[in-house]
Amino acid sequence: MGKAASAERVSIASLARSRTPGYRLRPRPIPCAFRRISLNRVTVRHYENFPVASVLVPARLRPAVVALYRFARAADDLADEGDVPPPQRLAALAAFDAALIEIAAGGTPSRFPFPALADAVRQHGLPIAPMHDLVSAFRQDVSVHRYATFADLRDYCRRSADPVGRLLLALYHAQSPANIAASDAVCTGLQLTNFWQDIAGDWRIGRVYLPQEDMDRFGATIEHIAQARVDAHWRALLAFETARARTLLKTGRPLVRALPWRLGLELSAVIEGGLRILARIDAAGGDVFARRPVLRKRDWCAIAYHALVSYRGAPA
């Protein structure tokens, strides 16, 4: 069964891992009573994390979530998978932008995945701008493989991860300025968590998300990644990066109580999963090379418990 077709079995937590991590938060999907989510890339680049059709998503909203997932998955596949030359990938992504313009003008493009997406946009009043942002991030995936500054990386996350949260807020009619700011913090935090979880795998496909300015600050080099070298410089760098991602996730945590209970509960679980991945990276002293930090079966019940405690506002 294709990835898009399997979306109906993924949870809403996944919609939220620009590319997030085994809860491959690589953002992807949650525990025990919640379907297990693999946080592998919250964001956008690998939508196994797209929270689709979870039992926590009201039935009336599931078709829209699936339509959004299929749009993101199809565009992501164009940018990130296969042997198609870059110019052809960029041309195909330009066609996605053109289809979004057609939908915004009231039309319905005939090719997959746009008919269902057009229905979702019209039925729920979804904004088109975040979808253009996603396509923009996918175009960047084709040509940009390293980042000089955190500001550059944050701009990528703004387009690759944050739009997912903003679209969900729009779907639930909960897009207040405070909610948007909290959602952006969570989505970027999840995206960063996935990046640090997947450093070794991304290196194998020619990508480095660690900002060069951070590597310079701690005396780390590309050779640390190429040689899987874990020394004091590398450990200090990874501790800095996980701390920043953790701060973002915790900054966005108040959003949990501001949302309808189903979405809030699942978001709480997603945040707890991300924090657990970060803790695992820290416990390994930043060694993401010997073993990729992932969530195991035994983690899910603990995540569910802590998510419920967090959602109720009790100390975790």
Side-chain angles (χ1 to χ4, degrees), residues 19-252:
R19 213 179 161 125
T20 289
Y23 197 118
R24 284 157 83 187
L25 231 176
R26 202 167 209 209
R28 290 164 198 268
I30 297 183
C32 296
F34 310 143
R35 186 173 213 82
R36 174 178 176 174
I37 285 176
S38 179
L39 262 165
N40 272 325
R41 304 204 197 274
V42 143
T43 122
V44 185
R45 282 194 352 227
H46 283 269
Y47 276 79
E48 291 86 335
N49 299 309
F50 214 96
V52 179
S54 161
V55 294
L56 295 178
V57 179
R60 64 184 178 81
L61 300 181
R62 290 175 197 166
V65 175
V66 170
L68 289 169
Y69 168 84
R70 287 176 169 169
F71 161 74
R73 179 71 259 178
D76 186 28
D77 284 346
L78 289 174
D80 212 29
E81 298 181 7
D83 299 320
V84 178
Q88 294 181 34
R89 296 187 190 191
L90 293 172
L93 289 168
F96 269 57
D97 268 329
L100 291 176
I101 292 172
E102 183 178 347
I103 291 173
T108 301
S110 59
R111 65 187 181 283
F112 178 88
F114 297 107
L117 184 65
D119 288 345
V121 167
R122 285 192 278 272
Q123 182 177 353
H124 299 283
L126 299 178
I128 294 292
M131 302 179 203
H132 281 297
D133 285 342
L134 288 175
V135 176
S136 170
F138 293 138
R139 284 200 301 270
Q140 187 163 316
D141 280 337
V142 175
S143 57
V144 177
H145 301 128
R146 297 190 182 180
Y147 292 84
T149 68
F150 180 71
D152 294 335
L153 184 62
R154 180 65 188 89
D155 178 69
Y156 172 76
C157 294
R158 178 186 64 78
R159 291 172 289 117
S160 69
D162 297 358
V164 173
R166 292 186 177 217
L167 286 167
L168 284 175
L169 290 178
L171 189 61
Y172 280 82
H173 302 289
Q175 61 269 51
S176 69
N179 286 356
I180 289 173
S183 173
D184 288 352
V186 170
C187 288
T188 290
L190 290 174
Q191 179 86 84
L192 294 176
T193 299
N194 176 231
F195 288 155
W196 313 148
Q197 175 193 34
D198 278 351
I199 288 172
D202 284 330
W203 171 255
R204 287 193 290 271
I205 59 174
R207 288 191 173 125
V208 177
Y209 290 96
L210 285 163
Q212 187 61 49
E213 66 178 5
D214 294 351
M215 297 178 71
D216 293 343
R217 174 182 174 181
F218 292 98
T221 67
I222 289 297
E223 284 65 38
H224 279 84
I225 304 175
Q227 299 171 12
R229 186 194 311 163
V230 179
D231 57 16
H233 299 288
W234 181 261
R235 287 191 291 271
L237 171 62
L238 264 289
F240 173 78
E241 301 297 0
T242 57
R244 180 157 53 191
R246 183 179 295 107
T247 296
L248 285 166
L249 291 177
K250 290 184 176 181
T251 297

